[in-house]
Protein backbone atom coordinates (compact mmCIF):
# COMPACT_ATOMS: atom_id res chain seq x y z
CA UNK A 1 0.00 0.00 0.00
CA UNK A 2 1.44 3.38 -0.95
CA UNK A 3 1.97 6.06 1.71
CA UNK A 4 -1.11 8.12 2.66
CA UNK A 5 0.32 11.22 0.96
CA UNK A 6 0.62 9.46 -2.37
CA UNK A 7 -2.86 7.93 -2.03
CA UNK A 8 -4.37 11.41 -1.70
CA UNK A 9 -2.49 12.50 -4.81
CA UNK A 10 -3.67 9.51 -6.83
CA UNK A 11 -7.25 10.37 -5.87
CA UNK A 12 -6.78 13.73 -7.56
CA UNK A 13 -4.81 12.73 -10.65
CA UNK A 14 -4.39 9.38 -12.35
CA UNK A 15 -0.65 8.68 -12.34
CA UNK A 16 0.60 5.30 -13.44
CA UNK A 17 4.28 5.51 -12.53
CA UNK A 18 6.30 6.44 -9.47
CA UNK A 19 8.11 9.18 -11.45
CA UNK A 20 4.78 10.74 -12.38
CA UNK A 21 3.64 10.57 -8.77
CA UNK A 22 6.82 12.33 -7.66
CA UNK A 23 6.25 15.06 -10.24
CA UNK A 24 2.68 15.50 -9.04
CA UNK A 25 3.80 15.64 -5.42
CA UNK A 26 6.27 18.38 -6.33
CA UNK A 27 3.57 20.39 -8.05
CA UNK A 28 1.25 19.80 -5.09
CA UNK A 29 3.72 21.44 -2.71
CA UNK A 30 4.35 24.30 -5.15
CA UNK A 31 0.84 25.04 -6.37
CA UNK A 32 1.25 28.76 -5.69
CA UNK A 33 4.37 28.79 -7.80
CA UNK A 34 2.60 26.98 -10.61
CA UNK A 35 0.21 29.93 -10.95
CA UNK A 36 2.83 32.55 -10.04
CA UNK A 37 1.03 33.50 -6.81
CA UNK A 38 2.79 35.10 -3.86
CA UNK A 39 0.16 33.90 -1.36
CA UNK A 40 -2.94 31.71 -1.19
CA UNK A 41 -5.86 33.94 -2.27
CA UNK A 42 -8.51 31.56 -0.93
CA UNK A 43 -7.00 30.36 2.35
CA UNK A 44 -9.18 29.56 5.34
CA UNK A 45 -8.16 32.64 7.33
CA UNK A 46 -9.52 36.05 8.30
CA UNK A 47 -7.18 38.49 6.57
CA UNK A 48 -8.39 42.11 6.21
CA UNK A 49 -6.17 42.44 3.12
CA UNK A 50 -8.65 40.25 1.23
CA UNK A 51 -11.75 42.20 2.27
CA UNK A 52 -13.76 42.72 -0.91
CA UNK A 53 -16.21 45.58 -0.53
CA UNK A 54 -19.47 44.73 -2.24
CA UNK A 55 -22.18 47.37 -1.94
CA UNK A 56 -23.61 45.47 1.04
CA UNK A 57 -20.24 45.12 2.77
CA UNK A 58 -19.39 48.78 2.20
CA UNK A 59 -22.80 49.83 3.55
CA UNK A 60 -22.30 47.70 6.67
CA UNK A 61 -18.80 49.08 7.22
CA UNK A 62 -19.98 52.68 6.88
CA UNK A 63 -23.00 52.07 9.13
CA UNK A 64 -20.88 50.58 11.91
CA UNK A 65 -18.34 53.40 11.64
CA UNK A 66 -21.18 55.93 11.96
CA UNK A 67 -22.41 54.15 15.08
CA UNK A 68 -19.02 54.80 16.63
CA UNK A 69 -18.65 58.37 15.41
CA UNK A 70 -22.24 59.35 16.25
CA UNK A 71 -22.02 57.81 19.74
CA UNK A 72 -24.77 55.26 19.12
CA UNK A 73 -24.80 52.77 21.98
CA UNK A 74 -25.69 49.59 20.05
CA UNK A 75 -25.27 48.63 16.40
CA UNK A 76 -26.09 45.30 14.76
CA UNK A 77 -24.81 43.49 11.67
CA UNK A 78 -26.31 40.14 10.71
CA UNK A 79 -25.48 37.74 7.90
CA UNK A 80 -25.64 34.17 6.73
CA UNK A 81 -22.70 32.20 8.13
CA UNK A 82 -19.66 32.61 5.90
CA UNK A 83 -20.72 35.91 4.33
CA UNK A 84 -17.90 37.96 5.85
CA UNK A 85 -19.07 39.42 9.15
CA UNK A 86 -15.97 38.26 11.06
CA UNK A 87 -13.72 39.72 8.36
CA UNK A 88 -15.65 42.97 8.71
CA UNK A 89 -14.84 43.07 12.43
CA UNK A 90 -11.14 42.82 11.57
CA UNK A 91 -11.39 45.64 9.04
CA UNK A 92 -13.09 47.83 11.64
CA UNK A 93 -10.39 47.05 14.18
CA UNK A 94 -7.70 48.10 11.71
CA UNK A 95 -9.55 51.26 10.75
CA UNK A 96 -10.10 52.73 14.23
CA UNK A 97 -7.70 55.50 15.24
CA UNK A 98 -5.94 54.36 18.45
CA UNK A 99 -5.64 57.95 19.59
CA UNK A 100 -9.43 58.27 19.64
CA UNK A 101 -10.73 54.75 20.25
CA UNK A 102 -9.95 51.73 22.34
CA UNK A 103 -11.40 48.74 20.47
CA UNK A 104 -11.90 45.36 22.13
CA UNK A 105 -12.96 42.28 20.19
CA UNK A 106 -14.89 39.63 22.13
CA UNK A 107 -15.76 36.26 20.60
CA UNK A 108 -18.96 34.84 22.08
CA UNK A 109 -19.26 31.09 22.55
CA UNK A 110 -22.32 28.88 23.19
CA UNK A 111 -23.90 29.21 26.65
CA UNK A 112 -21.50 31.99 27.63
CA UNK A 113 -22.65 33.27 31.01
CA UNK A 114 -22.90 36.99 31.84
CA UNK A 115 -19.99 36.62 34.28
CA UNK A 116 -17.85 34.92 31.62
CA UNK A 117 -18.74 37.68 29.17
CA UNK A 118 -17.68 40.37 31.63
CA UNK A 119 -14.44 38.53 32.45
CA UNK A 120 -13.64 38.28 28.75
CA UNK A 121 -14.20 42.01 28.31
CA UNK A 122 -11.92 42.72 31.28
CA UNK A 123 -9.24 40.46 29.77
CA UNK A 124 -9.43 42.21 26.39
CA UNK A 125 -9.16 45.60 28.09
CA UNK A 126 -6.28 44.50 30.30
CA UNK A 127 -8.31 45.28 33.41
CA UNK A 128 -7.02 43.48 36.49
CA UNK A 129 -9.49 42.26 39.10
CA UNK A 130 -8.19 41.94 42.65
CA UNK A 131 -10.62 39.20 43.65
CA UNK A 132 -10.01 35.66 42.38
CA UNK A 133 -13.77 35.14 42.16
CA UNK A 134 -15.18 38.58 41.42
CA UNK A 135 -18.88 39.22 41.65
CA UNK A 136 -20.90 40.59 38.73
CA UNK A 137 -20.98 43.94 40.50
CA UNK A 138 -17.19 44.02 40.80
CA UNK A 139 -16.74 43.14 37.13
CA UNK A 140 -19.16 45.83 35.96
CA UNK A 141 -17.56 48.36 38.30
CA UNK A 142 -14.09 47.55 36.94
CA UNK A 143 -15.25 47.99 33.33
CA UNK A 144 -17.06 51.21 34.27
CA UNK A 145 -13.90 52.54 35.87
CA UNK A 146 -11.87 51.70 32.75
CA UNK A 147 -14.41 53.42 30.51
CA UNK A 148 -14.22 56.58 32.64
CA UNK A 149 -10.41 56.47 32.67
CA UNK A 150 -10.40 56.23 28.88
CA UNK A 151 -12.89 59.10 28.62
CA UNK A 152 -10.62 61.35 30.69
CA UNK A 153 -7.88 60.62 28.14
CA UNK A 154 -10.17 61.54 25.26
CA UNK A 155 -10.56 57.89 24.20
CA UNK A 156 -13.80 56.04 23.60
CA UNK A 157 -14.32 52.32 24.22
CA UNK A 158 -15.64 50.31 21.27
CA UNK A 159 -16.73 46.77 22.07
CA UNK A 160 -16.97 44.52 18.99
CA UNK A 161 -18.91 41.35 19.76
CA UNK A 162 -18.73 38.50 17.25
CA UNK A 163 -21.02 35.42 17.13
CA UNK A 164 -23.66 37.20 19.22
CA UNK A 165 -26.33 34.66 18.20
CA UNK A 166 -24.85 32.59 21.05
CA UNK A 167 -25.67 35.23 23.68
CA UNK A 168 -28.20 34.34 26.35
CA UNK A 169 -30.95 36.73 27.42
CA UNK A 170 -29.03 37.51 30.62
CA UNK A 171 -25.83 38.29 28.71
CA UNK A 172 -27.71 40.57 26.31
CA UNK A 173 -29.19 42.43 29.26
CA UNK A 174 -25.68 42.83 30.66
CA UNK A 175 -24.52 44.37 27.37
CA UNK A 176 -27.46 46.76 27.54
CA UNK A 177 -26.31 47.77 31.03
CA UNK A 178 -22.81 48.52 29.73
CA UNK A 179 -24.23 50.49 26.80
CA UNK A 180 -25.99 52.79 29.29
CA UNK A 181 -22.71 54.13 30.69
CA UNK A 182 -22.79 57.80 29.73
CA UNK A 183 -22.36 61.43 30.62
CA UNK A 184 -25.15 63.98 30.03
CA UNK A 185 -23.76 64.83 26.59
CA UNK A 186 -23.23 61.37 25.12
CA UNK A 187 -22.73 57.63 25.51
CA UNK A 188 -19.21 56.62 26.50
CA UNK A 189 -19.17 53.21 24.84
CA UNK A 190 -20.40 51.84 21.52
CA UNK A 191 -21.14 48.12 21.30
CA UNK A 192 -21.20 46.61 17.81
CA UNK A 193 -22.89 43.22 17.54
CA UNK A 194 -22.16 40.76 14.73
CA UNK A 195 -24.15 37.56 14.37
CA UNK A 196 -26.03 35.17 12.15
CA UNK A 197 -29.47 35.97 10.76
CA UNK A 198 -31.06 33.73 13.41
CA UNK A 199 -30.17 36.41 15.96
CA UNK A 200 -32.82 38.71 14.50
CA UNK A 201 -35.49 36.06 15.12
CA UNK A 202 -34.33 35.82 18.72
CA UNK A 203 -34.56 39.58 19.13
CA UNK A 204 -38.14 39.44 17.87
CA UNK A 205 -39.18 37.51 20.98
CA UNK A 206 -40.84 39.52 23.78
CA UNK A 207 -37.86 38.92 26.11
CA UNK A 208 -35.53 40.85 23.81
CA UNK A 209 -37.71 43.64 22.43
CA UNK A 210 -36.40 46.24 24.87
CA UNK A 211 -32.88 45.48 23.62
CA UNK A 212 -33.87 45.53 19.95
CA UNK A 213 -35.39 48.99 20.37
CA UNK A 214 -31.98 50.30 21.50
CA UNK A 215 -30.25 49.08 18.34
CA UNK A 216 -30.54 52.25 16.30
CA UNK A 217 -28.51 50.86 13.39
CA UNK A 218 -29.19 47.42 11.92
CA UNK A 219 -27.66 46.20 8.67
CA UNK A 220 -27.43 42.86 6.89
CA UNK A 221 -24.66 41.43 4.74
CA UNK A 222 -26.22 39.66 1.78
CA UNK A 223 -24.59 36.93 -0.31
CA UNK A 224 -22.74 37.86 -3.52
CA UNK A 225 -24.40 38.22 -6.91
CA UNK A 226 -22.96 36.56 -10.02
CA UNK A 227 -21.17 39.77 -11.00
CA UNK A 228 -19.78 40.15 -7.48
CA UNK A 229 -18.57 36.54 -7.42
CA UNK A 230 -16.54 37.21 -10.56
CA UNK A 231 -15.07 40.41 -9.19
CA UNK A 232 -14.46 38.80 -5.80
CA UNK A 233 -12.44 35.92 -7.30
CA UNK A 234 -10.46 38.21 -9.61
CA UNK A 235 -9.83 40.71 -6.80
CA UNK A 236 -8.34 38.03 -4.56
CA UNK A 237 -6.17 36.70 -7.37
CA UNK A 238 -4.97 40.20 -8.24
CA UNK A 239 -3.81 40.77 -4.66
CA UNK A 240 -1.45 37.80 -4.89
CA UNK A 241 -0.13 38.49 -8.39
CA UNK A 242 -2.56 36.12 -10.10
CA UNK A 243 -3.89 36.32 -13.64
CA UNK A 244 -7.54 37.47 -13.93
CA UNK A 245 -8.11 34.65 -16.41
CA UNK A 246 -7.08 31.80 -14.11
CA UNK A 247 -10.79 30.97 -13.79
CA UNK A 248 -12.64 30.64 -17.10
CA UNK A 249 -15.63 32.99 -17.53
CA UNK A 250 -17.98 29.98 -17.41
CA UNK A 251 -17.02 29.36 -13.77
CA UNK A 252 -18.65 32.32 -12.09
CA UNK A 253 -22.31 31.61 -12.73
CA UNK A 254 -21.82 28.05 -11.56
CA UNK A 255 -19.91 29.24 -8.49
CA UNK A 256 -22.67 31.66 -7.50
CA UNK A 257 -25.37 29.05 -7.93
CA UNK A 258 -23.46 26.29 -6.13
CA UNK A 259 -22.32 28.42 -3.19
CA UNK A 260 -25.40 30.67 -3.08
CA UNK A 261 -22.93 33.56 -3.10
CA UNK A 262 -21.37 32.69 0.27
CA UNK A 263 -17.71 33.83 0.25
CA UNK A 264 -16.51 31.05 2.56
CA UNK A 265 -17.86 28.40 0.20
CA UNK A 266 -16.42 30.24 -2.80
CA UNK A 267 -13.02 30.23 -1.09
CA UNK A 268 -13.23 26.51 -0.33
CA UNK A 269 -14.05 25.50 -3.89
CA UNK A 270 -11.55 27.90 -5.48
CA UNK A 271 -8.77 26.78 -3.13
CA UNK A 272 -9.35 23.13 -4.02
CA UNK A 273 -9.64 23.98 -7.71
CA UNK A 274 -6.26 25.73 -7.69
CA UNK A 275 -4.72 22.69 -6.08
CA UNK A 276 -6.33 20.29 -8.55
CA UNK A 277 -5.32 22.42 -11.53
CA UNK A 278 -1.72 22.67 -10.32
CA UNK A 279 -1.53 18.93 -9.85
CA UNK A 280 -2.87 18.37 -13.35
CA UNK A 281 -0.73 21.22 -14.76
CA UNK A 282 -3.75 23.03 -16.11
CA UNK A 283 -3.18 26.81 -16.31
CA UNK A 284 -6.91 27.58 -16.64
CA UNK A 285 -9.67 26.38 -14.32
CA UNK A 286 -12.88 25.35 -16.07
CA UNK A 287 -16.38 24.66 -14.81
CA UNK A 288 -15.77 20.94 -15.29
CA UNK A 289 -12.79 21.11 -12.95
CA UNK A 290 -14.83 23.02 -10.36
CA UNK A 291 -17.48 20.33 -10.46
CA UNK A 292 -14.81 17.76 -9.63
CA UNK A 293 -13.82 19.50 -6.39
CA UNK A 294 -17.16 20.89 -5.12
Amino acid sequence: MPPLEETAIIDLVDCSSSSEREAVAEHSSHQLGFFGLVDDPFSDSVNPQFFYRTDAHEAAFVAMKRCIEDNVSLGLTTAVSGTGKTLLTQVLLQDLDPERYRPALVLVYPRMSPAALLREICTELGVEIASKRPTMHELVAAIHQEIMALYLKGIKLVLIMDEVHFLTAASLQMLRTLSNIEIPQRKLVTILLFGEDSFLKKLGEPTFRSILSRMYTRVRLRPLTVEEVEQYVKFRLLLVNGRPGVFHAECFGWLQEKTEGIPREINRICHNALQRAALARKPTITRALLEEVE
Side-chain angles (χ1 to χ4, degrees):
M1 178 180 293
L4 179 61
E5 209 174 2
E6 290 187 352
T7 302
I9 292 169
I10 292 170
D11 286 341
L12 290 172
V13 178
D14 183 17
C15 298
S16 56
S17 70
S18 60
S19 60
E20 288 176 345
R21 287 198 298 270
E22 289 172 2
V24 169
E26 182 179 352
H27 278 281
S28 178
S29 61
H30 299 287
Q31 63 194 50
L32 298 184
F34 179 81
F35 287 101
L37 309 179
V38 296
D39 198 359
D40 185 349
F42 306 108
S43 65
D44 185 20
S45 64
V46 181
N47 185 345
Q49 176 188 1
F50 291 107
F51 183 60
Y52 177 64
R53 297 178 185 241
T54 66
D55 290 343
H57 287 76
E58 181 66 16
F61 173 79
V62 170
M64 293 301 99
K65 277 295 296 294
R66 284 180 178 168
C67 280
I68 298 168
E69 294 166 357
D70 295 344
N71 298 310
V72 173
S73 57
L74 287 168
L76 173 63
T77 298
T78 59
V80 175
S81 179
T83 311
K85 56 183 175 54
T86 297
L87 185 54
L88 180 57
T89 66
Q90 297 299 315
V91 174
L92 281 166
L93 283 172
Q94 275 197 349
D95 189 76
L96 293 177
D97 183 354
E99 293 187 1
R100 298 178 58 198
Y101 303 109
R102 171 64 171 91
L105 175 63
V106 177
L107 182 63
V108 179
Y109 54 81
R111 296 183 295 279
M112 189 181 203
S113 68
L117 176 62
L118 292 173
R119 285 196 297 270
E120 187 66 22
I121 293 172
C122 286
T123 298
E124 289 298 321
L125 293 176
V127 174
E128 295 184 4
I129 308 297
S131 173
K132 291 184 178 180
R133 293 187 177 180
T135 64
M136 297 273 284
H137 175 75
E138 289 173 326
L139 290 167
V140 172
I143 294 171
H144 185 285
Q145 183 176 1
E146 180 66 13
I147 290 172
M148 295 307 300
L150 289 170
Y151 166 69
L152 293 175
K153 296 176 184 177
I155 299 173
K156 177 182 177 178
L157 175 62
V158 179
L159 289 178
I160 300 176
M161 318 289 299
D162 197 11
E163 307 289 2
V164 294
H165 44 277
F166 291 132
L167 286 172
T168 63
S171 294
L172 273 170
Q173 293 293 350
M174 184 55 64
L175 286 180
R176 189 180 74 162
T177 298
L178 293 180
S179 72
N180 285 334
I181 298 174
E182 59 189 328
I183 57 174
Q185 294 82 9
R186 64 180 177 89
K187 300 285 186 180
L188 297 184
V189 58
T190 288
I191 303 176
L192 302 180
L193 307 176
F194 294 80
E196 294 182 6
D197 285 343
S198 59
F199 187 60
L200 278 176
K201 295 181 180 179
K202 179 186 287 189
L203 291 176
E205 299 172 6
T207 309
F208 301 103
R209 282 176 186 166
S210 62
I211 300 173
L212 182 61
S213 66
R214 290 174 177 264
M215 295 179 185
Y216 278 32
T217 304
R218 309 167 202 165
V219 294
R220 181 179 184 272
L221 294 179
R222 57 165 174 75
L224 276 58
T225 65
V226 175
E227 292 77 13
E228 288 170 342
V229 168
E230 179 175 356
Q231 294 305 313
Y232 173 84
V233 171
K234 290 180 177 180
F235 169 76
R236 286 194 163 228
L237 285 167
L238 182 64
L239 286 179
V240 295
N241 200 39
R243 293 181 293 106
V246 169
F247 287 81
H248 192 277
E250 67 184 7
C251 293
F252 304 115
W254 182 91
L255 264 176
Q256 199 281 334
E257 182 179 356
K258 196 66 183 178
T259 65
E260 298 182 342
I262 305 300
R264 183 184 296 154
E265 280 298 294
I266 296 169
N267 290 346
R268 180 184 65 82
I269 292 176
C270 289
H271 173 84
N272 291 336
L274 281 176
Q275 184 181 54
R276 175 71 66 91
L279 289 171
R281 304 185 187 185
K282 294 180 178 179
T284 302
I285 294 170
T286 62
R287 171 174 170 169
L289 192 148
L290 289 180
E291 291 175 346
E292 292 177 10
V293 300
E294 64 169 289

